Each structure stands twice: as C-alpha cells, then as structure tokens.
Amino acid sequence: MCEATFTTGKLEMRAKSTSRTAPPHHSATLRLPPPSSPSPIPSRSSSSHSPLHLLLQRPPPPSTGPPLPSVALPDPPRAVRSSPSGRNADDMGAFAKKEHQFLNELGLAPRNPGSFACGAWGGSGPVVTTTSPTNNQVIAEVVEASVNDYEEGMRACFDAARTWMAIPAPKRGEIVRQIGDALRAKLHHLGRLVSLEMGKILPEGIGEVQEIIDMCDYAVGLSRQLNGSIIPSERPNHMMMEVVWNPLGVVGVITAFNFPCAVLGWNACIALVCGNCVVWKGAPTTPLITIAMTKIVASVLEKNNLPGAIFTAFCGGAEIGQAIALDTRIPLVSFTGSTRAGLMVQQQVNARFGKCLLELSGNNAIIVMHDADIQLAVRSVLFAAVGTAGQRCTTCRRLILHESIYHTFLDQLVEVYKQVRIGDPLEKGTLLGPLHTPASKENFLKGIQTIKSQGGKILFGGSAIESEGNFVQPTIVEISASAPVVKEELFGPVLYVMKFQTLKEAIEINNSVPQGLSSSIFTKKPEIIFKWLGPHGSDCGIVNVNIPTNGAEIGGAFGGEKATGGGREAGSDSWKQYMRRATCTINYGSELPLAQGINFG
C-alpha cells in the first residue's frame, strides 16, 4: 500500500506495507464497500484528503439513379421521450435552480427547437427530455428534427456551399477566429453544460470546450497554409504541380456523447477553413450541447451577413444519421461511435462512393517496463483509466506490467484508487462522475459478471453505487490477456491488469486486440522506445512514451488502425481529407513530348 499526499498536479507516494488483496475501501473521502455491497455516495464535506488534480492538456445534385440499399443504423440511447401527461422541464423546475442559471446565458430554455436549418430554428420531430446523469432528473425538453427538416436543411446547406467556397481561405479563417472568440466568452458556461448533461467532471468539461477553441486557433493559421507542391517533370518545357486543392462542398459530422462538442471542433474548424459547409448531427443524449454550440456558431455567421445554412445542425436519432450516410450531396462523412455502427456507416457511404472518417472503438494499453518511473506511471494510469469515468475512446483498459514490478505497482495503484472522490461532476474535487446513462451502468454490471465468469479477479471496486445517478466504482481486475472479455471495449472505469516477462511478449499483448487506437509504454531506455515506435512495435495510431493513452493534443492527427476505423482528424495534414486535390501538368513549349518516351506517330 502507499499513502498519498497531493500537491499541485502532482502525486507524492510513501510506501507502506499492507496487503493489496484486502477488501477495497476508501478513506474519509469516499468509503467503498467490497464488490458485493455497493454503497451510496457520502457527503464530501467529511473528506480529510485533498483531491488529485488532473492536469488537462490541454457538390453534385442528389443522385437520380436506382436507390442505394438501406442498412438501418443502430439507434444509440436516446434522450427520454416525454409523454403528453409526463412532467416536463417546467414542472421539474430545472431552470429555476440557481446552479442552472448558466443555461439561460447559453440561450437555452425549458423547451428547445432541435433543428437549425436554413439559418432558422425549428423542428417537427418527437419531443424528448434530456436528463443529467448525476441524478437522472430532467434538464429540459428538445423538439428533435424530422427527416423532412433534414431534407429542407440540406438543400439550403448545399446551396450555401457555393457562396462559402468562393470566399478566400484567409477570410474563412477570420470567421473561424470569431467563432473561437465567441466560444471563449462562453467557455465556463459551456463547460458546465458538458458536465451537467454528459457527466464528465468540470475541469474536463471546460477542457473539452477549450479544445474547440484551440482548434479554431489552429484552423485560422491553417487557412493561410493550404499549400501544394511543385513536381519536376521528365519532359522538357513542362511543369507538374499539385497545387490545386478545392473544397468538397458539404461535410457531414456525426458525433458521440462522450465528447459531445470537441469532436465537432476537430472536423468543423478544418472543414470550414477548407471551404466546406457543415451538417452536424449531435449525440441524441446531449442535445442541449448541440443546440448551445450551434447558437454560438450561428451568431457569428449572422454578424457577418453570411448564410446561416453554412452550419446546419440537427438533434435526432438514427434516422438523421442514416440520411447523412446515404446523401450523395455529402462527399465526406465523419462518424464517431462504436465499431459496429461505424461499419454500417462506412458501407452506406462507400456504396455511393463517398468518403468516411471513422473514429471508433479503442481498447488501449499501457505497458510498464521494469525500469519505468513508477510514480509517473501510476499517476498516468489513474488519469487514463478513471478520467471521464472510463468513457473516452482513449481510456486505458489494459495495464501490462513487467513481472518484477507487478506487485509494487499494484499496491500503489490500489492506494490512489482509494482516494478517488466520486460524486457530482460539477462539484470541486470530484474526480469520478457518473456513467452517461442508466444503460451504461447496467452494461458495467453485466461486464463485471462476464469478467468473473472468465476467471477475472476483482482487486478493487466492481460494484455500482446506490444513488439516483449512474455511479459505479472504479475497478481494477486481474485477468488473463487471452480472456475473450479483454478483447472487447467495456465502456466504463474498468482496468484489466496482466503481467509479462519480455518486451516482445508485452508488444504482442498490446497488439492482440481488434482495436488499434492508443497505446503507451513507460521506460527510460532508448532501445525500448525505438523498438516500440518501429515496425515491430505498437500497431496503434497513437504510440506514446511515458504519458497516458488519453489527453491528446490537437496539433497531431488523431485516429487509430484496425477496428478503430483508420480515420485521422484534428491536426497535422488531416486537412487534406476535407479537400479534393488535382494534379496539373503545364506544357509551356511548342513540342509535344510524351511521358515514358512514347513515340506516337
């Protein structure tokens, strides 16, 4: 066991001798029972520990040919549909609460139209209620978009693309700069909304909005650097160029609940400066975030006398997502979600020869070598496995420990797990908020049963917490790397622990799952680092050294391999996917030499 004290953003540990297999419990911060007996969330006023501060790093017309085959997309958990006799947001008094006054500042109301089409708000779909995962109480009602709303909005969006793509790229960058400034002005309100409706802790909610602001800043610079290249020609008096980069037209963005606005930023900021209009379908269970973000973008377009249809947004379910996937007016669709749903989207988009950017499941591993800085690795694993309640695609789900440090590392990790404060994500000091939906909580419990049935040993946690919200214990499981459940993504704070003897064995375990998003190794040896980065190392899209698997910066391209989908978004040269390139060869002479020395008559 180790006793932890906390300084600013740093964890100091002092070793004590105790058994790691003792029944898990919390100190005064939060007492957790053994896995068989979940407990309610206690008052945090009794805590005698300081919290661990997480350092958040920061087109052609519709086809008239034969209809494409339609594959129904799975509908993710929806906001709860309200009934005529049900209690609405006014009855619940959500907007009367002092702590919810920021909702008014964001232009939200007890009932909100959920379709922004043709530059105007509306919606003719079903009325749904959105709830807070902290207590499953209603926040507000939203009138979702219908397929008719979608079609009306897409016509306007498609027409607006002609206007937007004709504006010079640096001028488009100026509009994105203004969007970033407008987001800065609402940073803390938006961050609170993310925490309230999605459930991640407030520092992470604010950090998510900051990520969009960072993307706006990045895109402004990019708007003056959409550069091409000059290629030497083998023919005399010829020049070959790849300097022609043109907009695609309209980019479709379908986002998930766990990053309800940041992933929009990865796509929309780049798509806009590249000259594309954007049609966005937000997650069905976070419609208020979709609406609040859209209001801010729409206000900037209106201020600059630009068509509101440049940015079109819909709250809705699978029917809207399927409409985007099948729409020939949308050359590129970015989809974030499960591997199963992503495969369906890819099949539908590819069937019409569109392009996909897929950000799908992750099953990420951290390897800790025998020479690693143990304290640095423990802090990294804690954030990677517990941050966002284990609901990031980059969450660390597998911890691969060298056998020589296995028990020492687990002793220290279990001790810091005991100090994780669970509770309201909007309250200062909380490190672990709720899972997003009651269904997520049920999936967690089913997953624990599956783990036990496959020989997994619960070292810490393993239970739900009795409360109005969707709270569960952060969980550490000792299990074989070959167990079938380890190959799957259990979307919650469950960490599988396994040991290895050689680097080759550790890399094989890392690469043994279908997913290939993020990975990290902790070591001080250059020869291990370069082996890890090389062709016989990690097969993931993100290959880190001495940092967590999560918390990626926006400057690099984000995405993964294998069942993660192969997409790359955000920084680096990801912008090229949002434009169409053309290669041009110019003959400025009077002769006609042919390539490859061909003599044709």
Side-chain angles (χ1 to χ4, degrees):
M1 171 178 172
C2 61
E3 185 179 41
T5 59
F6 300 99
T7 57
T8 305
K10 189 173 181 180
L11 173 66
E12 298 174 353
M13 291 175 284
R14 299 190 293 274
K16 281 187 175 181
S17 60
T18 188
S19 169
R20 184 181 68 258
T21 57
H25 67 281
H26 273 247
S27 64
T29 305
L30 178 66
R31 293 195 175 275
L32 293 182
S36 58
S37 55
S39 69
I41 302 173
S43 168
R44 280 178 298 280
S45 61
S46 62
S47 172
S48 60
H49 288 276
S50 301
L52 173 64
H53 297 288
L54 299 179
L55 293 181
L56 298 179
Q57 313 293 86
R58 279 276 329 121
S63 171
T64 57
L68 293 169
S70 175
V71 181
L73 297 180
D75 201 349
R78 304 286 292 272
V80 181
R81 293 183 182 274
S82 61
S83 62
S85 58
R87 300 169 68 191
N88 60 28
D90 284 319
D91 298 330
M92 300 299 290
F95 279 73
K97 293 180 180 179
K98 183 178 179 181
E99 62 269 27
H100 291 170
Q101 289 303 300
F102 69 91
L103 296 173
N104 296 309
E105 297 295 323
L106 293 172
L108 299 172
R111 175 174 285 206
N112 304 272
S115 170
F116 186 71
C118 312
W121 287 98
S124 59
V127 177
V128 300
T129 56
T130 179
T131 60
S132 170
T134 302
N135 52 25
N136 287 310
Q137 294 181 3
V138 172
I139 306 170
E141 293 179 335
V142 173
V143 183
E144 290 187 326
S146 67
V147 174
N148 287 337
D149 296 327
Y150 169 82
E151 179 54 35
E152 182 181 359
M154 263 307 304
R155 283 198 298 267
C157 189
F158 184 77
D159 290 342
R162 303 177 188 278
T163 300
W164 183 243
M165 66 175 59
I167 297 173
K171 299 297 183 183
R172 299 193 297 256
E174 166 60 17
I175 300 302
V176 173
R177 185 195 67 78
Q178 293 180 33
I179 292 172
D181 285 348
L183 290 169
R184 280 186 180 90
K186 301 287 187 180
L187 171 61
H188 290 277
H189 290 331
L190 286 168
R192 291 183 70 83
L193 177 59
V194 171
S195 294
L196 176 68
E197 191 175 34
M198 184 272 154
K200 62 180 65 176
I201 63 172
L202 185 57
E204 290 186 288
I206 294 173
E208 176 169 352
V209 180
Q210 182 62 49
E211 191 165 356
I212 313 175
I213 296 170
D214 293 344
M215 280 302 307
C216 288
D217 290 346
Y218 178 86
V220 173
L222 179 65
S223 70
R224 294 181 181 270
Q225 300 179 66
L226 302 173
N227 303 323
S229 57
I230 304 295
I231 305 167
S233 174
E234 68 183 67
R235 291 170 281 186
N237 298 323
H238 283 60
M239 177 178 288
M240 193 185 314
M241 301 181 296
E242 198 177 68
V243 296
V244 183
W245 290 90
N246 285 309
L248 295 174
V250 179
V251 171
V253 183
I254 304 173
T255 56
F257 76 85
N258 59 336
F259 280 88
C261 54
V263 176
L264 169 73
W266 296 353
N267 287 277
C269 296
I270 305 300
L272 287 171
V273 297
C274 287
N276 303 296
C277 290
V278 173
V279 55
W280 177 32
K281 178 199 169 297
T285 50
T286 55
L288 297 184
I289 297 168
T290 302
I291 294 168
M293 283 292 304
T294 302
K295 284 180 177 289
I296 289 173
V297 176
S299 69
V300 172
L301 295 175
E302 182 178 10
K303 177 183 175 183
N304 287 274
N305 297 313
L306 289 167
I310 289 171
F311 189 90
T312 299
F314 302 106
C315 299
E319 66 280 1
I320 302 298
Q322 184 166 343
I324 292 174
L326 293 172
D327 199 328
T328 57
R329 294 167 293 187
I330 304 178
L332 175 66
V333 176
S334 167
F335 175 85
T336 302
S338 71
T339 294
R340 184 172 68 94
L343 183 58
M344 294 182 185
V345 171
Q346 185 179 51
Q347 290 170 343
Q348 293 185 334
V349 175
N350 286 352
R352 59 176 177 83
F353 296 100
K355 297 192 295 182
C356 266
L357 281 175
L358 299 177
E359 298 290 352
L360 310 178
S361 302
N363 193 347
N364 316 293
I366 290 178
I367 298 173
V368 184
M369 299 299 296
H370 62 280
D371 67 314
D373 181 329
I374 299 298
Q375 293 191 13
L376 177 65
V378 167
R379 287 157 49 202
S380 296
V381 170
L382 179 66
F383 176 49
V386 175
T388 324
Q391 296 172 112
R392 292 187 182 220
C393 53
T394 52
T395 290
C396 178
R397 309 201 181 279
R398 297 175 296 141
L399 176 60
I400 308 169
L401 300 173
H402 191 273
E403 60 180 5
S404 66
I405 52 102
Y406 185 82
H407 296 292
T408 299
F409 193 98
L410 279 183
D411 286 341
Q412 297 188 16
L413 184 64
V414 167
E415 189 61 23
V416 295
Y417 262 59
K418 292 177 182 178
Q419 298 174 58
V420 171
R421 184 178 291 179
I422 305 172
D424 187 337
L426 285 166
E427 291 195 13
K428 185 177 180 180
T430 298
L431 289 185
L432 180 62
L435 295 179
H436 185 54
T437 63
S440 302
K441 185 175 178 180
E442 281 299 312
N443 288 338
F444 169 88
L445 293 172
K446 291 176 182 177
I448 295 297
Q449 293 305 312
T450 302
I451 288 166
K452 292 178 179 178
S453 71
Q454 296 181 12
K457 180 181 178 182
I458 307 296
L459 301 182
F460 188 89
S463 295
I465 297 175
E466 292 179 358
S467 72
E468 293 180 333
N470 309 319
F471 295 92
V472 300
Q473 297 172 346
T475 300
I476 303 174
V477 177
E478 192 174 51
I479 195 168
S480 168
S482 62
V485 71
V486 174
K487 313 296 183 185
E488 303 169 1
E489 182 187 45
L490 178 57
F491 221 54
V494 178
L495 179 65
Y496 302 123
V497 183
M498 52 209 71
K499 65 178 68 172
F500 71 93
Q501 294 180 325
T502 67
L503 175 61
K504 181 176 182 292
E505 180 187 2
I507 292 174
E508 287 175 351
I509 295 173
N510 177 80
N511 296 348
S512 66
V513 298
Q515 308 85 356
L517 178 51
S518 186
S519 58
S520 187
I521 195 168
F522 282 77
T523 183
K524 300 173 184 175
K525 294 186 174 182
E527 63 269 29
I528 293 178
I529 292 173
F530 288 104
K531 174 79 171 180
W532 173 244
L533 297 175
H536 300 295
S538 172
D539 63 0
C540 296
I542 299 172
V543 186
N544 290 334
V545 178
N546 295 329
I547 66 168
T549 52
N550 54 353
E553 300 178 41
I554 60 99
F558 182 94
E561 301 299 324
K562 303 190 297 188
T564 301
R568 292 297 187 275
E569 296 174 341
S572 186
D573 64 350
S574 299
W575 65 270
K576 294 180 178 180
Q577 298 170 103
Y578 300 85
M579 304 193 82
R580 56 180 176 87
R581 72 173 77 190
T583 302
C584 174
T585 303
I586 299 176
N587 178 1
Y588 55 89
S590 58
E591 302 296 327
L592 189 62
L594 302 178
Q596 294 84 47
I598 294 174
N599 185 354
F600 193 73

